[in-house]
Amino acid sequence: MKIANPQGKGLVSLFNEWSAPVLASQCRDFPKLAKDYVLSLFVLSASFKFKPVQHQRYYLYLKQSELILTLIEPSKSGGRFGIYIGECGLNPDLTWHVEFSDDDNHAPTIQSFLQRFYAGFESHHQQNKTWHELLPFYEESLPFYARMYANGMAKSIHRDMVQLGLTQAPASKVLEMKGRLLGFDYLSMRERLIS
């Protein structure tokens, strides 16, 4: 007998898995909410084709201006994924955390990539829309798992936005965190993002 869904790609299993942790998580304050949002978008912009799970370490690499998320740690990658950026993981509330690498050998390349990422983020959030309207509840252009986890992250961020009274906040409000989140000095930015 053939299994109908061997990869477990059904929406029901994903949403059942998410509902309890998202609803049970504690409300974040605005700086934490903005930080989780930016870092989550950063990770979800990476190329990956697997279902991320909590309590698993993942590794971010930069190869030819493409961000790659993989289970293969730097000591075993043999350099095939490019420049190692850092380790990350999925939080219970479906946002992501990132621990940037201490290796400063590629800091200028990583800094340049992060500048481009943030420039796109900033451009997107300068629209005359609310922050809620720009949450990625459904991003058709994303591959399946990235799209599903972006939806879960959007629901988690939205839940806290409601509790903080931010549902009508302009999208540009999240840009107020730029100085504390994504300054363009990679070395100091790494320190800001992990604190």
Side-chain angles (χ1 to χ4, degrees), residues 30-175:
F30 175 69
K32 173 81 169 115
L33 188 65
K35 176 180 174 180
D36 288 353
Y37 176 58
V38 173
L39 286 177
S40 297
L41 289 177
F42 180 67
V43 173
L44 291 170
S45 72
S47 173
F48 65 98
K49 295 180 181 176
F50 55 85
K51 177 183 171 185
V53 296
Q54 294 174 37
H55 311 295
Q56 174 66 51
R57 292 179 179 179
Y58 299 99
Y59 304 93
L60 284 168
Y61 297 89
L62 178 61
K63 185 173 186 178
Q64 298 173 352
S65 296
E66 180 184 9
L67 199 58
I68 298 169
L69 180 69
T70 180
L71 288 160
I72 301 171
E73 58 192 83
S75 63
K76 296 179 181 174
S77 74
R80 70 178 177 224
F81 299 113
I83 299 168
Y84 174 62
I85 292 182
E87 184 178 307
C88 62
L90 182 64
N91 297 323
D93 63 10
L94 304 180
T95 60
W96 289 79
H97 62 273
V98 177
E99 296 172 26
F100 286 92
S101 168
D102 289 333
D103 182 3
D104 297 333
N105 292 330
H106 300 287
T109 304
I110 295 171
Q111 178 176 328
S112 176
F113 178 79
L114 289 170
Q115 285 175 332
R116 289 191 307 276
F117 169 80
Y118 191 77
F121 174 84
E122 191 172 42
S123 174
H124 184 68
H125 286 78
Q126 287 177 338
Q127 298 180 49
N128 190 21
K129 293 186 176 184
T130 65
W131 186 13
H132 174 264
E133 291 175 298
L134 294 182
L135 288 175
F137 289 106
Y138 182 78
E139 288 294 327
E140 188 174 1
S141 63
L142 292 175
F144 179 80
Y145 285 122
R147 184 171 60 246
M148 292 298 100
Y149 281 85
N151 177 276
M153 180 271 296
K155 288 181 178 188
S156 174
I157 296 293
H158 175 257
R159 181 191 61 88
D160 285 0
M161 287 173 68
V162 168
Q163 291 186 18
L164 294 171
L166 294 171
T167 55
Q168 295 304 310
S172 59
K173 182 164 180 62
V174 76
L175 300 177

Side-chain angles (χ1 to χ4, degrees), residues 175-193:
L175 300 177
E176 294 172 10
M177 299 306 296
K178 177 180 175 180
R180 285 185 262 175
L181 289 176
L182 288 175
F184 292 138
D185 177 3
Y186 166 69
L187 301 176
S188 64
M189 184 205 63
R190 180 178 63 206
E191 299 305 315
R192 279 191 221 110
L193 288 174

